[in-house]
Amino acid sequence: IFCMRYSGKLSPLDKYIILAVKRKREEQGIAQADLSVRMELNDKFVGNVESSRQKAKYNMNHLNKIAEILNCSLTDFFPMPYMKNNDIE
């Protein structure tokens, strides 16, 4: 599973998801490097995604693995019931 890189800016939905994963990870006291390794990725992966200086984001496979590791639902990472159009760039 590779890091998703892109040429543009993160969308508001991308930012929401990254922040939701970070909050859930921190609630459980799991370090960025630890989560990365448990995902069987480079130990800097989660740090790169959470960094505003990197052009990296999670894909659905990443989110599914994170939900498994954090023992939560995929829906915990998404706005409910959805993100309004005026909240999306």
Side-chain angles (χ1 to χ4, degrees):
I1 302 174
F2 297 96
C3 180
M4 297 295 297
R5 295 192 181 273
Y6 56 96
S7 59
K9 296 190 316 186
L10 288 172
S11 74
L13 182 58
D14 292 325
K15 292 175 186 176
Y16 183 98
I17 292 167
I18 291 167
L19 184 58
V21 170
K22 180 179 179 179
R23 286 181 182 150
K24 186 66 91 171
R25 174 183 65 74
E26 289 177 340
E27 282 173 10
Q28 296 189 25
I30 298 174
Q32 292 174 334
D34 186 35
L35 181 57
S36 298
V37 169
R38 290 170 69 180
M39 293 173 69
E40 300 178 3
L41 298 171
N42 178 293
D43 65 346
K44 296 186 183 340
F45 175 77
V46 172
N48 287 340
V49 172
E50 291 181 5
S51 171
S52 60
R53 293 172 288 178
Q54 298 291 324
K55 293 182 177 181
K57 61 183 178 179
Y58 298 118
N59 66 32
M60 290 304 296
N61 291 319
H62 296 141
L63 294 173
N64 190 62
K65 185 68 174 176
I66 292 168
E68 179 184 350
I69 292 166
L70 300 180
N71 194 34
C72 65
S73 170
L74 275 169
T75 61
D76 291 342
F77 306 136
F78 293 90
M80 288 297 157
Y82 55 86
M83 184 166 271
K84 295 179 183 174
N85 285 336
N86 60 354
D87 292 338
I88 298 176
E89 293 177 341

